[in-house]
């Protein structure tokens, strides 16, 4: 655990009312520290969480219009489940939607029901990881910064809730036919290939891996760890899903170093019921630990621009 990360604000009463009085202070902390955890406030219902989200006065980044690969269940136009993957599936560290051309700036998490065992949300300071990685591996870092990375994803023909990446191609691309999907891919600058079983395999256009953040700092911004550790076949052969913008496969040695070094900057957030966490998606990665027990762990999410 790193000192002061995430920042914890304990209180009572209405969280939306607290934000009305302290919004600028909270936003400054999110910019500087990367994540804020609100604990003890009276966020007893999903509606209370939604009102707190509205208190941040930021435009909604909707799940329906995003290219998220995760299957989620909507509660409202701006609140949905985090991921419907089975509880034994670990979701590895990533920046939300960094493998797509558009991504949210803020992530809001609400603990409706914590898991009986496990189920923590790991949070990793990517800005600190970037500084450490660049100091140790300047050549790799320069190539990542200079070329960016393309990601290969395979989208099923129907939603698959048994997978952490189970959202169908029609839902992901917001289309209703193969022809419309092909048009959408051309607009995005993606390469696409239809597989015999109806799945759609795509390569993204080269996307940035390092971005500028507050105060002239820089941060990693990617899905490299999640892809390497969790996507099918990538651990054995990174080139099946990860390549530099110039076309070369990412070396496993580089990814192993990235995974190992990330552990130094990661804190496991163990949820308590009615916790609310706000995460700066541009400088903090998140994930999900596997969990057990009879309780249906239910973490809800909202996203904002």
């Amino acid at each position: 655990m790193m000192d002061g990360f995430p920042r914890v604000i304990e209180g009572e009463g209405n969280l939306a009312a607290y934000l009305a009085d302290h919004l600028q202070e909270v936003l400054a902390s999110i910019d500087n520290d990367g994540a804020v955890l609100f604990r003890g406030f009276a966020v007893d219902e999903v509606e209370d969480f939604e009102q707190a989200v509205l208190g941040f006065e930021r435009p909604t980044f909707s799940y329906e219009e995003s290219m998220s690969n995760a299957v989620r269940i909507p509660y409202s136009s701006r609140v949905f489940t985090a991921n419907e993957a089975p509880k034994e599936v670990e979701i590895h560290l990533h920046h939300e939607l960094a493998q797509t051309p558009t991504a949210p700036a803020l992530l809001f998490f609400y603990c409706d029901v914590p898991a009986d065992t496990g189920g923590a949300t790991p949070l990793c300071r990517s800005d600190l990881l970037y500084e450490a990685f660049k100091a140790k591996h300047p050549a790799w870092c320069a190539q990542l910064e200079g070329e960016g990375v393309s990601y290969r994803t395979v989208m099923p023909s129907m939603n698959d809730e048994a997978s952490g990446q189970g959202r169908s191609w029609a839902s992901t691309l917001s289309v209703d036919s193969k022809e419309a999907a092909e048009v959408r891919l051309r607009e995005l600058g993606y390469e696409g290939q239809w597989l015999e079983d109806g799945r759609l395999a795509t390569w993204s256009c080269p996307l940035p891996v390092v971005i500028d953040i507050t105060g002239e700092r820089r941060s990693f911004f990617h899905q490299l760890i999640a892809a390497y550790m969790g996507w099918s076949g990538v651990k054995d052969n990174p080139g099946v899903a990860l390549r530099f913008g110039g076309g070369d496969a990412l070396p496993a040695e580089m990814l192993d170093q990235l995974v190992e070094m990330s552990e130094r900057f990661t804190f496991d957030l163990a949820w308590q019921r009615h916790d609310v966490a706000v995460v700066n998606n541009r400088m903090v990665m998140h994930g999900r630990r596997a969990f057990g027990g009879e309780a249906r762990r239910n973490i809800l999410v909202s996203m904002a621009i």
Side-chain angles (χ1 to χ4, degrees):
M1 178 177 178
M2 292 176 290
D3 291 341
F5 178 75
R7 180 187 174 191
V8 179
I9 299 176
E10 296 187 89
E12 56 186 14
N14 186 280
L15 179 55
Y18 175 88
L19 290 169
D21 293 332
H22 300 87
L23 181 59
Q24 296 309 311
E25 173 191 346
V26 171
L27 289 174
S29 184
I30 293 169
D31 281 343
N32 293 326
D33 306 320
V36 173
L37 172 66
F38 297 97
R39 177 163 284 171
F41 288 88
V43 191
D44 301 327
E45 306 289 343
V46 176
E47 292 77 9
D48 300 324
F49 171 57
E50 188 161 5
Q51 287 302 310
V53 171
L54 288 171
F56 279 83
E57 302 176 354
R58 300 287 285 270
T60 298
F61 188 100
S62 73
Y63 167 66
E64 291 78 7
E65 296 172 346
S66 76
M67 290 180 63
S68 171
N69 300 123
V71 176
R72 309 178 195 262
I73 297 173
Y75 276 59
S76 73
S77 62
R78 61 175 57 85
V79 177
F80 37 87
T81 56
N83 196 305
E84 290 303 298
K87 60 186 179 182
E88 65 272 12
V89 174
E90 179 163 355
I91 299 172
H92 297 276
L93 291 170
H94 63 283
H95 291 274
E96 190 69 23
L97 295 171
Q99 83 284 18
T100 76
T102 56
L106 292 181
L107 308 177
F108 306 91
F109 295 91
Y110 170 61
C111 180
D112 182 38
V113 180
D116 289 335
T117 60
T121 292
L123 299 173
C124 176
R125 283 282 301 266
S126 276
D127 57 331
L128 302 182
L129 175 59
Y130 165 74
E131 292 175 0
F133 189 85
K134 185 175 182 178
K136 187 172 183 180
H137 303 292
W140 279 338
C141 205
Q143 190 171 8
L144 288 170
E145 290 189 50
E147 297 186 28
V149 168
S150 293
Y151 301 85
R152 183 179 188 265
T153 57
V154 179
M155 295 172 269
S157 58
M158 302 289 289
N159 281 351
D160 178 10
E161 294 186 2
S163 169
Q165 294 179 281
R167 193 180 183 190
S168 73
W169 55 260
S171 179
T172 301
L173 298 173
S174 299
V175 297
D176 57 8
S177 69
K178 287 187 174 182
E179 293 75 17
E182 292 167 1
V183 170
R184 178 69 173 137
L185 292 180
R186 286 195 295 271
E187 292 172 346
L188 292 166
Y190 277 36
E191 302 171 19
Q193 178 185 9
W194 294 104
L195 305 181
E196 292 182 358
D197 58 4
R199 293 179 299 162
L200 175 60
T202 68
W203 277 101
S204 75
C205 56
L207 297 167
V209 176
V210 179
I211 62 171
D212 296 321
I213 57 173
T214 305
E216 299 183 355
R217 294 179 294 160
R218 308 204 83 194
S219 177
F220 274 135
F221 184 75
H222 57 65
Q223 290 238 353
L224 300 184
I225 293 174
Y228 184 56
M229 298 297 292
W231 295 8
S232 178
V234 182
K235 190 73 163 61
D236 296 326
N237 180 11
V240 301
L242 300 172
R243 65 189 186 193
F244 289 107
D248 293 337
L250 269 64
E253 297 84 356
M254 182 188 76
L255 295 165
D256 285 332
Q257 281 289 296
L258 195 61
V259 171
E260 180 182 340
M261 293 178 69
S262 70
E263 295 176 1
R264 292 163 43 192
F265 306 105
T266 298
F267 167 75
D268 274 10
L269 172 55
W271 293 104
Q272 295 182 17
R273 194 173 187 200
H274 300 158
D275 279 350
V276 172
V278 187
V279 174
N280 181 341
N281 189 45
R282 294 173 59 80
M283 66 182 284
V284 173
M285 288 187 285
H286 70 281
R288 187 194 76 179
R289 303 297 188 195
F291 59 96
E294 297 299 319
R296 183 188 182 280
R297 176 189 185 271
N298 196 33
I299 304 298
L300 303 182
V301 177
S302 186
M303 301 185 291
I305 298 171

